Amino acid sequence: MLSYLYSSHHPNTTTNPQEDPVTGIDAPPHPFDTAIATEYLGGHRIAGRTCPDYANMVGPFGGVTAAALLRAIEGHPDRLGDPLALTVNYAGPIADGPFEITARPVRTNRTNQHWQLELSQDGAITTTATAVFGIRRDTWSDLELAMPSVPGPDQAEPQEFPEFIAWGRNYDLRFLTGAVPDPAPTEAQPASPDSVSTLWLRDRPARPLDFAALTAMSDAFYPRVFLRRGQYVPAGTISLTVYYHATSAELAAQGTEYLLGSARAHRFAHGHFDQNAHLWGHDGTLLATSHQLVYFKG
């Protein structure tokens, strides 16, 4: 989704020039920071605005909507800790222009905090969300899901989304399996026997990774039905949940490197399918997992 007002309550929402992570030269704010910036209005009210750079086929890119909601909490003076989970329900279309987010902490415990959010335009609710923030503690840990062994990003060619998907131009995508189908093939494209896509991805231009960027990247996988059918069909996310496994330090360690993402569905039926995804850091750290419910026609 998208917004571009600015708040003094979060260090990343600023109109001042920022140092380019690659060249070290001061540059205008990164387009992603412009797209998710919010303005704290007091109480539980936060203002935002859609950004054409992150438009989707209909309305804004859902991943940037989710990132704007997360940023609204990050910039709230009552926020405790860092994000642990976020669920976004896309109840209706979001029109281009301003919107308002209501973000309310419904319970704060010693180490975790629960939030309810609503995004509205002209008094009509378009999006609802819940989030859990918390303080991470040092405990026993283990990783059962290993990062796939794949060629590096320098061995994969970048692929562009079709021109009419504006938000895709903001990501450097390098597919290893399950590339985006051609929206207008010269001949019929074969259907895929599975829905798996594996790819390297990062912001374009490069940007240091944070929770908001990780949120948007968790939704940067096109609908699995496109791959299975070998063609574009009407489809859209109804509900998206992101689980954050990484700490702030682990995200900072990624810098501007590519992340490895993998996505697949489990069942297509009755106009809906599920879609889950994993995002690993370049060092093999599992950073986030996401799950979503998607509707489709055809």
Side-chain angles (χ1 to χ4, degrees), residues 69-85:
L69 290 164
L70 186 85
R71 181 53 53 87
I73 300 175
E74 287 185 313
H76 198 287
D78 294 336
R79 184 253 288 186
L80 172 73
D82 289 325
L84 303 177

Side-chain angles (χ1 to χ4, degrees), residues 13-144:
T13 52
T14 173
T15 56
N16 296 327
Q18 300 174 6
E19 184 178 282
D20 184 282
V22 177
T23 66
I25 300 173
D26 283 350
H30 191 281
F32 182 74
D33 293 299
T34 299
I36 67 167
T38 54
E39 180 183 15
Y40 180 62
L41 302 176
H44 304 306
R45 298 173 57 236
I46 297 129
R49 175 179 289 272
T50 63
C51 176
D53 289 343
Y54 283 85
N56 205 350
M57 291 182 286
V58 177
F61 168 42
V64 181
T65 301
L69 290 164
L70 186 85
R71 181 53 53 87
I73 300 175
E74 287 185 313
H76 198 287
D78 294 336
R79 184 253 288 186
L80 172 73
D82 289 325
L84 303 177
L86 173 72
T87 295
V88 181
N89 298 309
Y90 302 94
I94 300 173
D96 294 339
F99 57 77
E100 185 170 305
I101 296 170
T102 301
R104 184 168 63 93
V106 295
R107 177 158 181 150
T108 301
N109 301 315
R110 286 198 303 172
T111 60
N112 58 71
Q113 184 179 57
H114 299 257
W115 290 79
Q116 289 184 344
L117 303 98
E118 294 178 345
L119 188 153
S120 61
Q121 289 182 311
D122 298 324
I125 295 173
T126 67
T127 312
T128 65
T130 59
V132 181
F133 275 57
I135 298 171
R136 298 180 185 272
R137 297 174 293 116
D138 289 331
T139 64
W140 174 86
S141 62
D142 189 30
L143 178 64
E144 293 195 7

